[in-house]
């Protein structure tokens, strides 16, 4: 015998968003960039090594290694994302950090408040809130992108409120 919950069909999604941080350099671009940096390091560092300034070669090598590590950390942080799913009964947000740990939040859409400066400024944040709970969305997005997300969420909420 099936329970009522398992028989009940999933509510259709009115709005579904996946927010991801933007990275302007692809993996192939990163490979080309690091090859160019390494080539320049070998040419300049090799010259200094040849004239007897071997310490410069070592310091330059540590700078190249540091640059590589920082880019790898930047790419690791790009694995973070947020999902926003709006149905008639709830707005569900899931935040996933770079390590894959997820944290979920749910809000009742009829009382949901969406706050975002229009026009957006550099420090503008997109927040949603209801019943004393607030959540910041898309902190890794640019201000215009956050404004666009706020408009999409408001549009979905308008559909729910005016159809009810």
């Amino acid at each position: 015998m099936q329970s009522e919950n398992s028989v009940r069909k999933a509510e259709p999604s009115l709005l579904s968003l996946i927010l991801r941080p933007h990275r302007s350099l692809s993996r192939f671009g990163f490979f080309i960039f690091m090859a160019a940096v390494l080539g320049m390091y070998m040419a300049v560092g090799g010259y200094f090594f040849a004239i007897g300034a071997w310490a410069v070669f070592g310091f330059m090598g540590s700078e190249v290694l540091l640059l590589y590590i920082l880019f790898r950390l930047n790419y690791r942080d790009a694995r973070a994302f947020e999902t926003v799913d709006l149905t008639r009964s709830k707005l569900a947000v899931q935040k996933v950090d770079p390590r894959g740990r997820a944290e979920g939040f749910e809000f009742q859409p009829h009382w949901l408040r969406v706050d975002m400066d229009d026009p957006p400024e550099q420090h503008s944040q997109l927040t949603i809130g209801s019943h004393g709970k607030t959540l910041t969305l898309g902190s890794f997005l640019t201000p215009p992108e956050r404004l666009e997300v706020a408009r999409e969420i408001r549009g979905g909420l308008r559909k729910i409120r005016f159809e009810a």
Side-chain angles (χ1 to χ4, degrees):
M1 181 175 193
Q2 294 179 337
S3 70
E4 182 181 332
N5 289 339
S6 63
V7 174
R8 189 182 331 161
K9 292 185 178 182
E11 250 185 310
S13 180
L14 301 173
L15 176 68
S16 185
L17 302 172
I18 299 176
L19 310 177
R20 294 188 181 276
H22 176 70
R23 295 296 182 255
S24 59
L25 192 61
S26 68
R27 292 205 181 269
F28 181 70
F30 172 66
F31 174 77
I32 298 296
F33 174 72
M34 285 307 297
V37 167
L38 195 57
M40 288 176 31
Y41 160 68
M42 293 304 289
V44 174
Y47 170 76
F48 279 104
F49 188 80
I51 64 170
W54 54 268
V56 173
F57 186 79
F59 282 115
M60 287 180 66
S62 64
E63 289 174 351
V64 171
L65 178 63
L66 180 63
L67 181 68
Y68 174 79
I69 290 170
L70 292 175
F71 263 99
R72 295 303 299 169
L73 289 173
N74 183 289
Y75 279 110
R76 186 200 69 182
D77 288 347
R79 293 188 303 221
F81 65 94
E82 298 173 1
T83 63
V84 178
D85 190 39
L86 178 64
T87 65
R88 294 197 185 288
S89 64
K90 69 180 176 183
L91 180 116
V93 176
Q94 184 178 37
K95 291 185 169 214
V96 180
D97 70 10
R99 293 184 176 158
R101 294 180 298 214
E103 188 174 10
F105 306 89
E106 288 188 3
F107 295 90
Q108 204 280 340
H110 295 285
W111 301 103
L112 192 63
R113 186 182 68 257
V114 180
D115 294 320
M116 176 68 193
D117 294 338
D118 189 6
E121 296 178 16
Q122 188 60 36
H123 67 277
S124 298
Q125 293 294 313
L126 166 59
T127 59
I128 57 174
S130 176
H131 293 87
K133 292 187 337 185
T134 60
L135 181 66
T136 301
L137 290 178
S139 59
F140 46 76
L141 299 174
T142 64
E145 290 171 331
R146 286 192 292 261
L147 180 60
E148 180 61 31
V149 170
R151 287 178 177 160
E152 288 188 41
I153 294 172
R154 287 177 184 143
L157 291 173
R158 248 188 314 281
K159 283 182 187 177
I160 293 172
R161 292 174 182 155
F162 290 118
E163 289 177 4

